[in-house]
Every structure is written in C-alpha cells, then in structure tokens.
Short mmCIF file of all heavy atoms in Angstrom, two decimals:
data_model
loop_
_atom_site.label_atom_id
_atom_site.label_comp_id
_atom_site.label_asym_id
_atom_site.label_seq_id
_atom_site.Cartn_x
_atom_site.Cartn_y
_atom_site.Cartn_z
N PRO E 1 19.71 28.33 -17.63
CA PRO E 1 20.22 29.14 -16.52
C PRO E 1 20.95 30.40 -16.95
O PRO E 1 21.14 31.31 -16.15
CB PRO E 1 21.15 28.17 -15.78
CG PRO E 1 21.48 27.11 -16.78
CD PRO E 1 20.31 26.98 -17.65
N ASN E 2 21.38 30.48 -18.21
CA ASN E 2 22.10 31.66 -18.68
C ASN E 2 21.17 32.78 -19.11
O ASN E 2 21.63 33.90 -19.41
CB ASN E 2 23.03 31.29 -19.84
CG ASN E 2 24.13 30.33 -19.40
OD1 ASN E 2 24.60 30.43 -18.24
ND2 ASN E 2 24.55 29.43 -20.27
N LYS E 3 19.86 32.52 -19.18
CA LYS E 3 18.90 33.56 -19.56
C LYS E 3 18.11 33.99 -18.33
O LYS E 3 17.30 33.23 -17.81
CB LYS E 3 17.96 33.05 -20.65
CG LYS E 3 18.64 32.92 -22.01
CD LYS E 3 17.63 32.75 -23.13
CE LYS E 3 18.33 32.77 -24.50
NZ LYS E 3 17.41 32.72 -25.62
N TYR E 4 18.39 35.20 -17.86
CA TYR E 4 17.71 35.70 -16.66
C TYR E 4 17.70 37.22 -16.73
O TYR E 4 18.31 37.85 -17.59
CB TYR E 4 18.43 35.21 -15.39
CG TYR E 4 19.89 35.56 -15.32
CD1 TYR E 4 20.33 36.80 -14.87
CD2 TYR E 4 20.85 34.63 -15.72
CE1 TYR E 4 21.67 37.12 -14.82
CE2 TYR E 4 22.20 34.93 -15.68
CZ TYR E 4 22.62 36.19 -15.22
OH TYR E 4 23.94 36.49 -15.19
N GLY E 5 16.99 37.83 -15.78
CA GLY E 5 16.97 39.29 -15.68
C GLY E 5 15.88 39.98 -16.47
O GLY E 5 15.64 41.16 -16.29
N ASP E 6 15.20 39.26 -17.41
CA ASP E 6 14.15 39.89 -18.20
C ASP E 6 12.85 39.96 -17.38
O ASP E 6 12.56 39.07 -16.59
CB ASP E 6 13.90 39.11 -19.50
CG ASP E 6 13.67 37.64 -19.26
OD1 ASP E 6 14.53 37.01 -18.59
OD2 ASP E 6 12.65 37.11 -19.73
N ASN E 7 12.12 41.05 -17.56
CA ASN E 7 10.89 41.24 -16.81
C ASN E 7 9.72 40.57 -17.56
O ASN E 7 9.53 40.76 -18.75
CB ASN E 7 10.58 42.72 -16.62
CG ASN E 7 9.50 42.92 -15.59
OD1 ASN E 7 8.32 42.72 -15.88
ND2 ASN E 7 9.90 43.30 -14.38
N LEU E 8 8.94 39.78 -16.83
CA LEU E 8 7.88 38.95 -17.42
C LEU E 8 6.49 39.56 -17.26
O LEU E 8 5.50 38.90 -17.58
CB LEU E 8 7.90 37.56 -16.79
CG LEU E 8 9.23 36.79 -16.90
CD1 LEU E 8 9.15 35.51 -16.11
CD2 LEU E 8 9.56 36.48 -18.37
N THR E 9 6.41 40.78 -16.78
CA THR E 9 5.08 41.36 -16.45
C THR E 9 4.14 41.33 -17.65
O THR E 9 2.97 40.94 -17.51
CB THR E 9 5.25 42.80 -15.97
OG1 THR E 9 6.10 42.81 -14.82
CG2 THR E 9 3.89 43.40 -15.61
N ASN E 10 4.62 41.71 -18.82
CA ASN E 10 3.76 41.77 -20.01
C ASN E 10 3.83 40.50 -20.86
O ASN E 10 3.23 40.43 -21.92
CB ASN E 10 4.15 42.97 -20.87
CG ASN E 10 3.94 44.28 -20.12
OD1 ASN E 10 2.98 44.42 -19.39
ND2 ASN E 10 4.87 45.22 -20.30
N ILE E 11 4.61 39.51 -20.40
CA ILE E 11 4.79 38.28 -21.15
C ILE E 11 4.07 37.11 -20.48
O ILE E 11 3.36 36.34 -21.12
CB ILE E 11 6.28 37.93 -21.30
CG1 ILE E 11 7.01 39.09 -22.02
CG2 ILE E 11 6.46 36.62 -22.08
CD1 ILE E 11 6.55 39.33 -23.42
N ARG E 12 4.22 37.02 -19.17
CA ARG E 12 3.70 35.87 -18.42
C ARG E 12 2.64 36.36 -17.44
O ARG E 12 2.94 36.77 -16.32
CB ARG E 12 4.83 35.19 -17.67
CG ARG E 12 5.85 34.48 -18.61
CD ARG E 12 5.23 33.27 -19.30
NE ARG E 12 4.57 32.46 -18.31
CZ ARG E 12 5.22 31.67 -17.47
NH1 ARG E 12 6.53 31.59 -17.53
NH2 ARG E 12 4.56 30.97 -16.59
N ALA E 13 1.38 36.32 -17.89
CA ALA E 13 0.28 36.80 -17.07
C ALA E 13 0.13 36.00 -15.78
O ALA E 13 -0.26 36.55 -14.74
CB ALA E 13 -1.02 36.74 -17.86
N THR E 14 0.47 34.72 -15.81
CA THR E 14 0.33 33.88 -14.62
C THR E 14 1.31 34.31 -13.54
O THR E 14 0.98 34.36 -12.35
CB THR E 14 0.54 32.41 -14.95
OG1 THR E 14 1.80 32.24 -15.63
CG2 THR E 14 -0.58 31.88 -15.84
N VAL E 15 2.54 34.63 -13.95
CA VAL E 15 3.55 35.06 -12.99
C VAL E 15 3.13 36.40 -12.36
O VAL E 15 3.19 36.58 -11.15
CB VAL E 15 4.91 35.20 -13.68
CG1 VAL E 15 5.95 35.80 -12.71
CG2 VAL E 15 5.40 33.85 -14.18
N ALA E 16 2.67 37.33 -13.22
CA ALA E 16 2.23 38.63 -12.71
C ALA E 16 1.05 38.46 -11.75
O ALA E 16 0.96 39.16 -10.72
CB ALA E 16 1.85 39.54 -13.88
N TYR E 17 0.14 37.55 -12.07
CA TYR E 17 -1.02 37.31 -11.24
C TYR E 17 -0.61 36.80 -9.86
O TYR E 17 -1.07 37.29 -8.82
CB TYR E 17 -1.93 36.29 -11.91
CG TYR E 17 -3.13 35.86 -11.08
CD1 TYR E 17 -4.33 36.53 -11.18
CD2 TYR E 17 -3.03 34.77 -10.20
CE1 TYR E 17 -5.43 36.13 -10.40
CE2 TYR E 17 -4.11 34.38 -9.43
CZ TYR E 17 -5.31 35.05 -9.54
OH TYR E 17 -6.37 34.66 -8.79
N VAL E 18 0.29 35.79 -9.81
CA VAL E 18 0.70 35.18 -8.54
C VAL E 18 1.45 36.19 -7.69
O VAL E 18 1.22 36.29 -6.46
CB VAL E 18 1.57 33.93 -8.81
CG1 VAL E 18 2.18 33.41 -7.51
CG2 VAL E 18 0.72 32.83 -9.45
N ASN E 19 2.35 36.97 -8.29
CA ASN E 19 3.11 37.94 -7.51
C ASN E 19 2.25 39.12 -7.05
O ASN E 19 2.55 39.75 -6.04
CB ASN E 19 4.29 38.47 -8.34
CG ASN E 19 5.42 37.47 -8.37
OD1 ASN E 19 5.62 36.69 -7.42
ND2 ASN E 19 6.17 37.44 -9.46
N ARG E 20 1.20 39.41 -7.80
CA ARG E 20 0.33 40.50 -7.39
C ARG E 20 -0.65 40.08 -6.28
O ARG E 20 -0.81 40.78 -5.28
CB ARG E 20 -0.46 41.01 -8.60
CG ARG E 20 -1.40 42.16 -8.27
CD ARG E 20 -2.13 42.64 -9.51
NE ARG E 20 -3.03 43.75 -9.19
CZ ARG E 20 -3.87 44.31 -10.06
NH1 ARG E 20 -3.90 43.88 -11.32
NH2 ARG E 20 -4.66 45.30 -9.69
N TYR E 21 -1.29 38.92 -6.49
CA TYR E 21 -2.33 38.50 -5.55
C TYR E 21 -1.82 37.47 -4.53
O TYR E 21 -2.56 37.12 -3.60
CB TYR E 21 -3.53 37.92 -6.29
CG TYR E 21 -4.21 38.91 -7.21
CD1 TYR E 21 -4.02 38.86 -8.58
CD2 TYR E 21 -5.01 39.91 -6.68
CE1 TYR E 21 -4.64 39.80 -9.42
CE2 TYR E 21 -5.61 40.84 -7.50
CZ TYR E 21 -5.43 40.78 -8.87
OH TYR E 21 -6.05 41.68 -9.69
N LYS E 22 -0.58 36.99 -4.76
CA LYS E 22 0.03 36.00 -3.84
C LYS E 22 -0.85 34.76 -3.72
O LYS E 22 -1.04 34.19 -2.64
CB LYS E 22 0.28 36.63 -2.46
CG LYS E 22 1.18 37.87 -2.56
CD LYS E 22 1.27 38.59 -1.22
CE LYS E 22 2.10 39.87 -1.35
NZ LYS E 22 1.55 40.81 -2.33
N LYS E 23 -1.42 34.36 -4.88
CA LYS E 23 -2.26 33.17 -4.96
C LYS E 23 -1.74 32.24 -6.04
O LYS E 23 -1.20 32.68 -7.04
CB LYS E 23 -3.72 33.54 -5.28
CG LYS E 23 -4.44 34.32 -4.20
CD LYS E 23 -5.86 34.61 -4.65
CE LYS E 23 -6.63 35.41 -3.61
NZ LYS E 23 -8.01 35.72 -4.08
N TYR E 24 -1.96 30.95 -5.83
CA TYR E 24 -1.56 29.93 -6.80
C TYR E 24 -2.45 30.00 -8.05
O TYR E 24 -3.63 30.34 -7.95
CB TYR E 24 -1.68 28.56 -6.14
CG TYR E 24 -1.75 27.39 -7.11
CD1 TYR E 24 -0.61 26.81 -7.65
CD2 TYR E 24 -2.98 26.86 -7.51
CE1 TYR E 24 -0.68 25.76 -8.52
CE2 TYR E 24 -3.07 25.80 -8.39
CZ TYR E 24 -1.90 25.26 -8.90
OH TYR E 24 -1.98 24.22 -9.78
N ILE E 25 -1.90 29.67 -9.20
CA ILE E 25 -2.70 29.60 -10.44
C ILE E 25 -2.06 28.54 -11.34
O ILE E 25 -0.85 28.25 -11.25
CB ILE E 25 -2.75 30.97 -11.15
CG1 ILE E 25 -3.89 30.99 -12.16
CG2 ILE E 25 -1.42 31.30 -11.84
CD1 ILE E 25 -4.18 32.37 -12.73
N ASP E 26 -2.86 27.95 -12.23
CA ASP E 26 -2.31 26.97 -13.17
C ASP E 26 -3.05 27.06 -14.48
O ASP E 26 -4.18 27.55 -14.56
CB ASP E 26 -2.42 25.55 -12.59
CG ASP E 26 -3.85 25.12 -12.38
OD1 ASP E 26 -4.46 24.63 -13.35
OD2 ASP E 26 -4.37 25.26 -11.26
N GLY E 27 -2.40 26.57 -15.54
CA GLY E 27 -3.01 26.56 -16.88
C GLY E 27 -1.94 26.61 -17.96
O GLY E 27 -0.73 26.68 -17.68
N PHE E 28 -2.41 26.56 -19.23
CA PHE E 28 -1.46 26.61 -20.35
C PHE E 28 -1.10 28.07 -20.63
O PHE E 28 -1.94 28.96 -20.59
CB PHE E 28 -2.09 26.00 -21.61
CG PHE E 28 -1.22 26.14 -22.82
CD1 PHE E 28 -0.21 25.24 -23.07
CD2 PHE E 28 -1.41 27.20 -23.70
CE1 PHE E 28 0.60 25.38 -24.20
CE2 PHE E 28 -0.61 27.34 -24.83
CZ PHE E 28 0.40 26.44 -25.06
N GLU E 29 0.23 28.30 -20.93
CA GLU E 29 0.67 29.64 -21.27
C GLU E 29 1.94 29.56 -22.11
O GLU E 29 2.80 28.70 -21.87
CB GLU E 29 0.91 30.45 -20.00
CG GLU E 29 1.14 31.93 -20.26
CD GLU E 29 1.28 32.74 -18.99
OE1 GLU E 29 1.72 32.15 -17.96
OE2 GLU E 29 0.97 33.92 -19.01
N GLU E 30 2.03 30.45 -23.08
CA GLU E 30 3.25 30.60 -23.88
C GLU E 30 4.25 31.48 -23.12
O GLU E 30 3.85 32.41 -22.43
CB GLU E 30 2.89 31.25 -25.23
CG GLU E 30 4.08 31.41 -26.17
CD GLU E 30 4.66 30.08 -26.60
OE1 GLU E 30 3.98 29.32 -27.32
OE2 GLU E 30 5.81 29.79 -26.17
N GLY E 31 5.53 31.14 -23.23
CA GLY E 31 6.56 31.92 -22.56
C GLY E 31 7.56 32.48 -23.56
O GLY E 31 7.33 32.49 -24.77
N ARG E 32 8.71 32.92 -23.05
CA ARG E 32 9.73 33.46 -23.94
C ARG E 32 10.52 32.37 -24.65
O ARG E 32 11.07 32.58 -25.73
CB ARG E 32 10.70 34.35 -23.13
CG ARG E 32 10.12 35.70 -22.77
CD ARG E 32 11.24 36.64 -22.32
NE ARG E 32 10.76 37.97 -22.05
CZ ARG E 32 10.54 38.90 -22.96
NH1 ARG E 32 10.70 38.61 -24.23
NH2 ARG E 32 10.14 40.11 -22.61
N ILE E 33 10.58 31.18 -24.03
CA ILE E 33 11.34 30.08 -24.62
C ILE E 33 10.44 28.91 -24.97
O ILE E 33 10.43 28.42 -26.10
CB ILE E 33 12.47 29.63 -23.66
CG1 ILE E 33 13.43 30.78 -23.41
CG2 ILE E 33 13.20 28.43 -24.23
CD1 ILE E 33 14.48 30.49 -22.36
N PHE E 34 9.69 28.45 -23.98
CA PHE E 34 8.80 27.31 -24.17
C PHE E 34 7.38 27.68 -23.79
O PHE E 34 7.16 28.58 -22.98
CB PHE E 34 9.24 26.13 -23.29
CG PHE E 34 10.56 25.52 -23.67
CD1 PHE E 34 11.62 25.56 -22.79
CD2 PHE E 34 10.74 24.91 -24.89
CE1 PHE E 34 12.84 24.99 -23.10
CE2 PHE E 34 11.95 24.34 -25.22
CZ PHE E 34 13.00 24.39 -24.34
N ASN E 35 6.44 26.96 -24.36
CA ASN E 35 5.08 26.96 -23.85
C ASN E 35 4.95 25.77 -22.92
O ASN E 35 5.85 24.93 -22.83
CB ASN E 35 4.06 26.88 -24.97
CG ASN E 35 4.21 25.61 -25.79
OD1 ASN E 35 4.00 24.52 -25.27
ND2 ASN E 35 4.61 25.74 -27.05
N GLY E 36 3.85 25.67 -22.22
CA GLY E 36 3.67 24.52 -21.36
C GLY E 36 2.47 24.68 -20.47
O GLY E 36 1.83 25.73 -20.39
N PHE E 37 2.15 23.57 -19.80
CA PHE E 37 1.11 23.59 -18.77
C PHE E 37 1.79 23.95 -17.47
O PHE E 37 2.57 23.18 -16.91
CB PHE E 37 0.42 22.24 -18.71
CG PHE E 37 -0.41 21.95 -19.93
CD1 PHE E 37 0.12 21.27 -21.01
CD2 PHE E 37 -1.72 22.40 -20.01
CE1 PHE E 37 -0.64 21.02 -22.15
CE2 PHE E 37 -2.48 22.15 -21.13
CZ PHE E 37 -1.94 21.46 -22.20
N ARG E 38 1.49 25.15 -16.99
CA ARG E 38 2.26 25.77 -15.92
C ARG E 38 1.48 25.78 -14.62
O ARG E 38 0.27 26.06 -14.60
CB ARG E 38 2.64 27.20 -16.32
CG ARG E 38 3.35 27.26 -17.67
CD ARG E 38 3.66 28.69 -18.07
NE ARG E 38 4.17 28.77 -19.44
CZ ARG E 38 5.43 28.59 -19.78
NH1 ARG E 38 6.33 28.30 -18.86
NH2 ARG E 38 5.82 28.69 -21.05
N PHE E 39 2.20 25.50 -13.54
CA PHE E 39 1.64 25.52 -12.19
C PHE E 39 2.51 26.48 -11.38
O PHE E 39 3.66 26.18 -11.07
CB PHE E 39 1.65 24.11 -11.60
CG PHE E 39 0.92 23.12 -12.46
CD1 PHE E 39 1.59 22.44 -13.48
CD2 PHE E 39 -0.43 22.87 -12.30
CE1 PHE E 39 0.94 21.53 -14.30
CE2 PHE E 39 -1.11 21.97 -13.11
CZ PHE E 39 -0.42 21.31 -14.11
N VAL E 40 1.97 27.66 -11.08
CA VAL E 40 2.75 28.75 -10.50
C VAL E 40 2.32 28.96 -9.04
O VAL E 40 1.13 29.12 -8.76
CB VAL E 40 2.56 30.07 -11.30
CG1 VAL E 40 3.54 31.13 -10.81
CG2 VAL E 40 2.77 29.81 -12.81
N TYR E 41 3.36 28.96 -8.15
CA TYR E 41 3.10 29.05 -6.70
C TYR E 41 3.78 30.29 -6.13
O TYR E 41 4.92 30.60 -6.49
CB TYR E 41 3.69 27.82 -5.98
CG TYR E 41 3.18 26.50 -6.48
CD1 TYR E 41 3.72 25.90 -7.63
CD2 TYR E 41 2.17 25.80 -5.81
CE1 TYR E 41 3.29 24.67 -8.09
CE2 TYR E 41 1.73 24.57 -6.25
CZ TYR E 41 2.28 24.01 -7.41
OH TYR E 41 1.86 22.79 -7.84
N PRO E 42 3.12 30.99 -5.20
CA PRO E 42 3.79 32.08 -4.48
C PRO E 42 4.75 31.49 -3.45
O PRO E 42 4.51 30.41 -2.91
CB PRO E 42 2.63 32.82 -3.81
CG PRO E 42 1.57 31.79 -3.63
CD PRO E 42 1.70 30.84 -4.79
N LEU E 43 5.86 32.20 -3.18
CA LEU E 43 6.85 31.73 -2.19
C LEU E 43 6.91 32.75 -1.04
O LEU E 43 6.87 33.96 -1.27
CB LEU E 43 8.22 31.60 -2.84
CG LEU E 43 8.35 30.48 -3.88
CD1 LEU E 43 9.70 30.53 -4.56
CD2 LEU E 43 8.14 29.10 -3.23
N PHE E 44 7.02 32.23 0.16
CA PHE E 44 7.06 33.07 1.35
C PHE E 44 8.22 32.64 2.24
O PHE E 44 8.56 31.44 2.31
CB PHE E 44 5.75 32.96 2.14
CG PHE E 44 4.54 33.36 1.36
CD1 PHE E 44 3.79 32.42 0.65
CD2 PHE E 44 4.13 34.69 1.33
CE1 PHE E 44 2.68 32.77 -0.08
CE2 PHE E 44 3.00 35.07 0.61
CZ PHE E 44 2.29 34.11 -0.10
N SER E 45 8.81 33.61 2.92
CA SER E 45 9.87 33.31 3.90
C SER E 45 9.24 32.73 5.14
O SER E 45 8.02 32.64 5.27
CB SER E 45 10.63 34.58 4.24
OG SER E 45 9.79 35.49 4.93
N GLU E 46 10.12 32.34 6.09
CA GLU E 46 9.61 31.77 7.34
C GLU E 46 8.78 32.81 8.10
O GLU E 46 7.91 32.46 8.90
CB GLU E 46 10.78 31.30 8.20
CG GLU E 46 11.48 30.06 7.61
CD GLU E 46 12.59 29.56 8.52
OE1 GLU E 46 12.80 30.19 9.60
OE2 GLU E 46 13.24 28.57 8.16
N GLU E 47 9.04 34.09 7.86
CA GLU E 47 8.27 35.15 8.50
C GLU E 47 7.01 35.48 7.72
O GLU E 47 6.36 36.53 7.96
CB GLU E 47 9.14 36.41 8.64
CG GLU E 47 10.33 36.25 9.59
CD GLU E 47 11.48 35.49 8.93
OE1 GLU E 47 11.51 35.47 7.66
OE2 GLU E 47 12.31 34.91 9.64
N LYS E 48 6.65 34.63 6.77
CA LYS E 48 5.45 34.80 5.95
C LYS E 48 5.53 36.03 5.04
O LYS E 48 4.50 36.59 4.65
CB LYS E 48 4.17 34.89 6.82
CG LYS E 48 3.98 33.74 7.77
CD LYS E 48 3.87 32.40 7.02
CE LYS E 48 3.67 31.26 8.00
NZ LYS E 48 3.66 29.95 7.28
#
C-alpha cells in the first residue's frame, strides 16, 4: 500500500488495454513488484 502514484502505461500492457478499451483481459504478465496470472476488470460508476 505504500507504493503508489507510478504510471503503468509502459509497464503493464493489460492495465493500459483495459483502461483504453474498457474491456476485461487476463493472462500472465510481469509487473513492477510481482509477476502473476492477472485478471484485469474495468470499473464503472453507477452512472456507467
């Protein structure tokens, strides 16, 4: 929780993909701290 504020655009392709296309994606990816099998979901407010 103490590591935040860094931009992941060029590090985490899955995050950039979900935020750009607002679509779910999953698969293995290396990150800044850990690698893992990642399941990334777009989030929407009640107003969509």
Side-chain angles (χ1 to χ4, degrees):
N2 295 327
K3 287 194 174 185
Y4 57 82
D6 52 307
N7 193 283
L8 302 173
T9 301
N10 297 322
I11 301 297
R12 293 291 311 285
T14 54
V15 174
Y17 175 91
V18 171
N19 282 329
R20 180 179 180 184
Y21 297 105
K22 302 173 184 60
K23 293 181 180 179
Y24 161 84
I25 198 170
D26 64 84
F28 175 83
E29 190 176 27
E30 182 64 68
R32 285 195 176 279
I33 299 174
F34 293 117
N35 61 65
F37 290 92
R38 306 177 188 276
F39 304 88
V40 189
Y41 303 81
L43 292 174
F44 301 92
S45 66
E46 291 183 359
E47 294 78 21
K48 305 300 180 184

